[in-house]
Amino acid sequence: MLGVEPGELGALIRPDSKEGAHFRDTMEGGFTGGDEYQKHFLPRDYLATYYSFDGSPSPEAEMLKFNLECLHKTFGPGGLQGDTLIDIGSGPTIYQVLAACESFQDITLSDFTDRNREELEKWLKKEPGAYDWTPVVKFACELEGNSGQWEEKEEKLRATVKRVLKCDVHLGNPLAPAVLPPADCVLTLLAMECACCSLDAYCAALCNLASLLKPGGHLVTTVTLRLSSYMVGKREFSCVALEKEEVEQAVLDAGFDIEQLLQSPQSYSVTNAANNGVCFIVARKKPGP
């Protein structure tokens, strides 16, 4: 998660659901804040729903493959490279930086909730009970033509991730109080639409992400389109439902030139939007004045 502004989570819960009724009981003045994500977003429920990559076909597995393939093409040979990459809204996942760890020297992971950051630290430190990403790492290695080197890939990623920070995309510096040098790349996958209650909030958050980048640096993002809710265990959280054209314009308005835009009909089985699809974008930050 990326942080939820006061009032946003009220918009992120479908009022006609049982979970919505529960949250209404806990709300003060008709809205609540990001503390509810802190309390109720459970990483293992999220991972079990969206990242069980056991070889059986499912919309969730196809979505993961789509993102891994896009990221391989983006960060593979001849693709984006540099010194520093910041992943915003990592959640409890590491798949999104498996390709980038080959082309960047210093990677920052970040998330709003303590539990998600703790889940990341467990895997990075190889602690007992850490989530098993082996099937996903093996698939990423197959894309690179190194299917037998998945253990080396895991160690490379652990060595390249230098820090795990708290983030809130609604702050001018989303990583505050930490201050990092401007990065070569900012990555954010399937997260911004979950943190923003409106198109205006989404546009403002993109401008905040742009502030983390060097002029000429790149934004790489995947956004689920027309999605208004998603499930984490038995809890339902909602998102801002965005159209492709709205995402595209928001990226341009945040000071980027779009270098690649790929729309796919991939969608999740546990969302309330039929044929919502996703949009994968690579954009370059314009030079300053």
Side-chain angles (χ1 to χ4, degrees):
M1 271 302 299
L2 297 169
V4 185
E5 289 182 320
E8 283 195 10
L9 199 61
L12 293 179
I13 307 293
R14 268 181 31 189
D16 58 344
S17 67
K18 291 181 180 178
E19 291 77 12
H22 169 77
F23 276 113
R24 284 199 305 275
D25 290 340
T26 68
M27 288 155 60
E28 295 181 7
F31 63 88
T32 185
D35 59 323
E36 293 296 338
Y37 260 96
Q38 180 83 319
K39 293 175 184 176
H40 298 295
F41 190 94
L42 301 179
R44 287 306 173 106
D45 286 349
Y46 177 75
L47 293 169
T49 301
Y50 298 100
Y51 296 99
S52 295
F53 200 64
D54 56 7
S56 57
S58 72
E60 285 67 40
E62 292 306 309
M63 181 73 82
L64 180 54
K65 288 180 181 179
F66 169 79
N67 278 311
L68 289 169
E69 289 164 355
C70 288
L71 293 166
H72 169 66
K73 293 174 183 176
T74 300
F75 295 114
L80 301 184
Q81 58 182 326
D83 293 324
T84 56
L85 178 145
I86 301 171
D87 182 39
I88 295 291
S90 305
T93 70
I94 54 89
Y95 76 94
Q96 66 275 15
V97 286
L98 287 169
C101 75
E102 302 294 340
S103 50
F104 288 82
Q105 309 303 313
D106 181 307
I107 291 177
T108 298
L109 301 180
S110 68
D111 198 77
F112 180 74
T113 75
D114 294 343
R115 286 193 187 97
N116 282 342
R117 297 196 305 277
E118 289 165 2
E119 194 71 42
L120 292 171
E121 293 282 9
K122 279 184 184 179
W123 187 86
L124 291 168
K125 296 176 181 178
K126 303 171 74 170
E127 293 179 357
Y131 190 74
D132 183 10
W133 286 99
T134 302
V136 177
V137 178
K138 287 182 176 179
F139 182 82
C141 288
E142 288 175 9
L143 293 175
E144 297 174 3
N146 300 312
S147 57
Q149 299 183 15
W150 63 271
E151 291 176 301
E152 290 87 344
K153 166 70 83 174
E154 288 191 345
E155 293 311 307
K156 177 69 173 291
L157 179 54
R158 288 187 173 102
T160 307
V161 173
K162 306 300 185 184
R163 62 199 66 82
V164 178
L165 301 177
K166 184 179 178 67
C167 74
D168 184 341
V169 296
H170 304 297
L171 301 177
N173 170 18
L175 299 175
V179 178
L180 298 183
D184 296 298
C185 183
V186 165
L187 177 68
T188 182
L189 267 62
L190 305 170
M192 292 282 283
E193 62 273 35
C194 304
C196 300
C197 67
S198 66
L199 178 59
D200 285 345
Y202 177 74
C203 293
L206 277 179
C207 291
N208 293 337
L209 295 196
S211 72
L212 299 174
L213 279 168
K214 298 175 181 177
H218 284 83
L219 171 72
V220 178
T221 185
T222 301
V223 180
T224 309
L225 302 173
R226 297 186 291 278
L227 180 68
S228 60
S229 74
Y230 70 107
M231 300 298 297
V232 178
K234 296 181 179 180
R235 296 225 170 231
E236 187 173 19
F237 298 97
S238 295
C239 315
V240 56
L242 297 168
E243 298 291 338
K244 178 182 75 71
E245 294 78 14
E246 292 174 325
V247 174
E248 184 176 5
Q249 191 61 51
V251 171
L252 294 172
D253 289 346
F256 292 95
D257 291 318
I258 294 175
E259 296 185 341
Q260 180 184 354
L261 189 154
L262 176 63
Q263 186 174 3
S264 168
Q266 298 290 348
S267 62
Y268 291 112
S269 64
V270 290
T271 62
N272 70 339
N275 192 32
N276 46 329
V278 293
C279 187
F280 179 82
I281 291 177
V282 178
R284 184 175 182 270
K285 184 178 178 179
K286 294 178 181 178

